[in-house]
Structure formats: structure tokens, C-alpha cells
Amino acid sequence: MASNVSVRTDDFGQEYSIELPEDRVLFVERNFIYEAKATLVEYKIWIDDDLIDEITIHAARKILMPRERDIVDIVNSCSDRVIQQEIQARHNMLAHLSDRSRN
């Protein structure tokens, strides 16, 4: 996950995007579906307009099948990468401000 990850968030979930070689884009979605007695989480992975894989699981479910775990891990890795980017950006800003104050 060395690539930059962009995120778009609303009340129903997140969409992460990563630029790929050859002007392609990987989209990873996590959407929350609120039903009367349950909350479901829908995961989708796209490359450009091609749906690669999707799953829908109960939000409270703890045990996942290997394929489900792989998809959830991809989404969580995107989330982690966005957090890392924000921390690095803040660190860079503070370092820049510190350098400017010395001059």
C-alpha cells in the first residue's frame, strides 16, 4: 500500500480509490445497509467500470470465510493508508513550519 489512496465518505459508507498503471483506477467500497433488525455491510471492488468482487455480511458477524476476510482486509488497508497519509501530511506541515521559524 505505497500508493496514494483517496477517500470519499458519507453517512452510508466510504469509497476508496487508487490510481493504477495505464490510467486505470481501483475502487473499493464499504456501504452500510440499515434494515429493521440488522445492519449489513456491503463490500465491492471495482477496476474502472468492471465489478471484480462483492460481498454482503451482517455487521456483527465475527467469523468470516477466507474470501470475505480478504475483501474486508483490502478495505481496512485502504482506511489505514488514508490515516497514514494524514499523519505524514501533518508531520510534513509541522516540520516545514519548524524550519521556517528557525529562519
Side-chain angles (χ1 to χ4, degrees), residues 10-37:
D10 61 25
D11 291 340
F12 301 101
Q14 300 84 29
E15 177 185 83
Y16 300 96
S17 59
I18 303 168
E19 291 184 21
L20 300 175
E22 301 177 15
D23 294 328
R24 301 184 82 192
V25 179
L26 172 71
F27 296 101
V28 179
E29 298 178 28
R30 174 176 40 209
N31 299 301
F32 299 97
I33 303 166
Y34 303 103
E35 295 185 347
K37 295 184 179 188

Side-chain angles (χ1 to χ4, degrees), residues 22-92:
E22 301 177 15
D23 294 328
R24 301 184 82 192
V25 179
L26 172 71
F27 296 101
V28 179
E29 298 178 28
R30 174 176 40 209
N31 299 301
F32 299 97
I33 303 166
Y34 303 103
E35 295 185 347
K37 295 184 179 188
T39 300
L40 302 175
V41 186
E42 175 187 69
Y43 297 88
K44 293 183 180 182
I45 299 175
W46 302 78
I47 294 181
D48 296 329
D49 294 328
D50 298 323
L51 181 62
I52 305 301
D53 206 349
E54 69 178 311
I55 59 170
T56 302
I57 59 174
H58 192 280
R61 196 162 133 208
K62 301 287 186 212
I63 300 173
L64 302 175
M65 300 302 294
R67 179 176 145 261
E68 295 168 333
R69 170 61 42 213
D70 290 344
I71 293 171
V72 170
D73 286 348
I74 289 169
V75 174
N76 290 338
S77 292
C78 289
S79 176
D80 292 345
R81 181 66 179 136
V82 168
I83 293 167
Q84 288 174 340
Q85 289 171 180
E86 290 295 324
I87 291 169
Q88 187 62 48
R90 183 170 291 179
H91 175 76
N92 291 346

